[in-house]
Amino acid sequence: MRRRHAASLDPHAISEFGRRLRAWYRRSARDLPWRRTRNAYRVLVSELMLQQTQVSRVIPKYHEFLRTFPSLAAVARAEPARVLEAWSGLGYYARARNLHKLARELTSDGTRSRVRLPSEPAALRDLPGIGAYTAGAVASFAYEVRAPLVDTNVARVLSRVFAPSLSPKRPRDLKRIWAIAERTLPRTGNATWTHNQALMEHGALVCTARVAHCDRCPVSSLCATHARAMTLRR
Ligand code: ADE
């Protein structure tokens, strides 16, 4: 029988998963600067920086970059070289180049100063350098839109808990993991903000790539991978 992963999830397990994950987040999350803002430009800068760089290295760069470029309009007015300079040390300079392109595009080459990033994932994805993950992150973290997001960490958490047979490396499976992410979102945008941050935090602190710390996991009793491991041990 073909498994229809997202559609076959148990509604009780879904609501318990979200409830416990968000309660854990409220108790255990790190206080990170981009979690204190709903400014879409700031959220975008943080997400672009965090794509390939560790949190501890991003924090000082995030503050420094925003001091130099406090708005998208400021990025648009600058020469690309100045933006790259402010990005120095973070690597993957395509991210900075795309940010500059995006700022120019939204401000009609710097002629408009009041600009707003779109709030819907589909519109965000039309912008330079914004993929599915970043679109979901800006929509949910800046605008509290009920939008899913899946990066490597989230894919690992969701597949371990709900669908251990799926491999995030296979494109077809990754699509199914996105469907699970969508299916397991809470109802409101406000709860979605916490839910998505909690998924990221859980993947970073508990359900890590190297070790799954099931002993301190808030959702281990709902987790298919954990259940399998327990059965094998007996
Ligand atoms: N990595 C990407 N986005 C993040 C976030 N909002 N918090 C922590 N780590 C992240």
Side-chain angles (χ1 to χ4, degrees), residues 168-180:
K169 290 198 185 111
R170 253 183 264 138
R172 199 181 57 171
D173 285 5
L174 189 58
K175 258 180 94 172
R176 291 183 175 152
I177 295 171
W178 271 91
I180 293 172

Side-chain angles (χ1 to χ4, degrees), residues 58-80:
V58 166
I59 292 172
K61 274 286 167 187
Y62 169 81
H63 291 302
E64 198 185 311
F65 190 91
L66 291 174
R67 268 196 302 276
T68 313
F69 299 109
S71 64
L72 261 183
V75 174
R77 280 193 300 269
E79 287 305 314

Side-chain angles (χ1 to χ4, degrees), residues 25 30 32 34-35 46-47 50-51 53 55 133 137 141 149 151 153 196-197 200-201 204:
Y25 178 85
R30 293 167 292 179
L32 301 173
W34 44 88
R35 291 179 175 162
S46 72
E47 291 298 336
L50 288 160
Q51 267 167 31
T53 312
V55 166
Y133 165 77
F141 294 153
L149 53 77
D151 74 344
N153 279 333
N196 283 343
Q197 294 282 7
M200 310 282 305
E201 197 71 347

